[in-house]
C-alpha cells in the first residue's frame, strides 16, 4: 500500500485520471461525434487533458479545501 503522507498526490492523480477521461470523452464527442477517428482523437485529448489536470489539481485542491471549510457551518 501507499503511505498516508502521499494521500494528496494519490488523490490528485486519480481525480485527474477520472475527470480528464470523462470530460475528454464528452468534449471529443461534442466536437466530432462518433466518427472513424473518434477513439484516436479522444485518447490524444485525454493524454493532454491528464497532463494538464494533474498539476492543476495538486495546486488547486488545497485552496478549494480551505474555501469549503470557511463556507461550511460547524454544528
Amino acid at each position: 500500500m501507499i503511505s498516508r503522507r502521499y494521500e494528496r498526490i494519490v488523490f490528485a492523480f486519480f481525480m485527474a485520471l477520472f475527470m480528464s477521461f470523462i470530460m475528454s470523452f464528452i468534449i471529443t464527442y461534442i466536437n466530432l461525434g462518433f466518427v472513424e477517428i473518434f477513439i484516436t482523437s479522444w485518447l490524444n485529448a485525454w493524454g493532454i487533458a491528464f497532463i494538464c489536470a494533474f498539476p492543476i489539481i495538486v495546486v488547486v485542491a488545497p485552496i478549494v479545501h480551505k474555501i469549503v471549510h470557511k463556507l461550511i457551518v460547524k454544528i
Side-chain angles (χ1 to χ4, degrees):
M1 288 309 238
I2 299 170
S3 171
R4 186 148 176 88
R5 69 180 144 158
Y6 299 112
E7 182 178 3
R8 195 174 125 208
I9 299 298
V10 173
F11 171 83
F13 176 83
F14 283 105
M15 180 63 79
L17 185 76
F18 291 119
M19 289 297 295
S20 62
F21 183 83
I22 295 165
M23 293 181 72
S24 63
F25 179 91
I26 293 167
I27 296 303
T28 303
Y29 174 73
I30 289 170
N31 286 330
L32 299 178
F34 285 123
V35 294
E36 221 174 274
I37 60 166
F38 178 81
I39 297 295
T40 304
S41 298
W42 169 42
L43 292 177
N44 286 332
W46 180 32
I48 294 166
F50 179 76
I51 289 168
C52 295
F54 181 64
I56 291 169
I57 291 172
V58 168
V59 171
V60 172
I63 297 166
V64 172
H65 190 71
K66 288 177 185 176
I67 292 168
V68 170
H69 275 281
K70 288 182 180 185
L71 293 174
I72 300 299
V73 177
K74 295 176 184 172
I75 298 175

